[in-house]
Amino acid sequence: MHALGIDIGGTGIKAAPVDVAAGKLLADRKKIDTPRPAVPDAIAEVVHELTTSFGWSGPAGITFPGVVTSGVTRTAANLDKAWIGKDARELLTKAVGGPVTVLNDADAAGIAEMKFGAGVGEHGTVLMLTFGTGIGSALFINSTLVPNTEFGHIELRGHDAEKRASEHAKELHDLSWEKWAGRVQEYIQHMEALLSPDLFIVGGGISKQSAKWVPLLTGIRAPIVPAALLNDAGIVGAAMATLSFAG
Ligand code: BGC
């Protein structure tokens, strides 16, 4: 079973065809910068361009960096507000020219990690957190996803947590690894106090450099492991969702 995976992010839109049974990309992924303003039609055009660049006709799974219920995008913290209330499934089905499943980006990454990556064989409560333009979250209870958890917007020291501890915040405020890891640690401790997960999986672009910051995180009971699929998790999970997710 093959499906196209497309990962819409705050800075880039990435795509590749995926062997869904193996969790592997079938071709090198392609990336196009997220257009600004990141309005629905401009993004749909990029989705169309990526689809045709692979000569793709068939099912596609598409991630979105916000809440998605029944194909409708409900929030857009890091994209244009015109997405709020938009029927993204309808818009993107036209752009792809085939059946489309739309789901939250962190949920997609989590689905891929649970099946093929750092979460394989893990039961109980697993919380995947992605650190990028924002902070995404995917919560699993005995391998079942609780979609759209949005834990990146928990309040920390009077601010949206992602404004303090995302990868973007590290860059924006030019934080050292130590300083940023301190903020991430405080955030994860807060999540642990609320949910007591058995495992944390940390992903997003910055998971490529996990050796620089994951060892700095202390005072957290549950193990913290970096995502195994790194930045491909969103693409793989999006493609997987075409089979299993009623998004
Ligand atoms: C959004 C989430 C998204 C996360 C990562 C947050 O700002 O609200 O839906 O998963 O960023 O992109």
Side-chain angles (χ1 to χ4, degrees):
M1 174 69 201
H2 296 173
L4 187 66
I6 303 179
D7 193 7
I8 299 176
T11 49
I13 303 177
K14 298 170 287 192
V18 176
D19 177 337
V20 175
K24 297 251 178 286
L25 304 194
L26 291 161
D28 285 347
R29 66 179 194 190
K30 293 185 184 168
K31 181 175 174 183
I32 296 181
D33 286 348
T34 305
R36 292 284 159 189
V39 291
D41 284 348
I43 291 198
E45 210 172 300
V46 172
V47 165
H48 176 72
E49 199 179 324
L50 286 164
T51 306
T52 52
S53 77
F54 287 108
W56 189 261
S57 60
I62 304 184
T63 77
F64 182 81
V67 171
V68 187
T69 57
S70 304
V72 175
T73 44
R74 303 283 178 190
T75 68
N78 298 302
L79 296 181
D80 195 273
K81 299 289 176 253
W83 281 99
I84 297 172
K86 188 92 193 159
D87 189 337
R89 183 166 48 201
E90 186 187 85
L91 176 76
L92 298 174
T93 297
K94 279 190 206 131
V96 166
V100 157
T101 303
V102 189
L103 75 165
N104 172 264
D105 55 358
D107 286 346
I111 290 171
E113 288 293 332
M114 291 304 285
K115 176 88 177 162
F116 298 112
V120 172
E122 295 290 342
H123 302 292
T125 304
V126 178
L127 182 60
M128 165 130 191
L129 296 168
T130 64
F131 295 84
T133 312
I135 296 178
S137 59
L139 179 66
F140 294 84
I141 299 167
N142 293 330
S143 304
T144 301
L145 172 69
V146 181
N148 292 310
T149 45
E150 293 294 311
F151 292 139
H153 299 295
I154 288 250
E155 191 179 307
L156 212 59
R157 293 184 186 257
H159 298 277
D160 218 22
E162 71 175 25
K163 294 276 179 281
R164 285 182 54 79
S166 63
E167 178 185 20
H168 179 64
K170 180 180 186 304
E171 284 162 11
L172 190 68
H173 306 298
D174 199 19
L175 302 175
S176 65
W177 287 107
E178 287 71 21
K179 183 115 190 156
W180 180 69
R183 291 182 175 199
V184 172
Q185 176 174 310
E186 185 183 32
Y187 172 61
I188 294 182
Q189 280 170 334
H190 193 68
M191 293 315 305
E192 179 158 71
L194 294 175
L195 292 171
S196 299
D198 299 294
L199 177 73
F200 287 100
I201 303 174
V202 290
I206 205 158
S207 60
K208 270 182 275 183
Q209 300 180 74
S210 63
K212 293 192 181 137
W213 57 279
V214 175
L216 304 178
L217 304 173
T218 58
I220 297 152
R221 183 187 45 79
I224 304 174
V225 292
L229 302 173
L230 302 175
N231 235 351
D232 288 339
I235 294 176
V236 173
M240 288 168 68
T242 61
L243 299 183
S244 60
F245 197 84

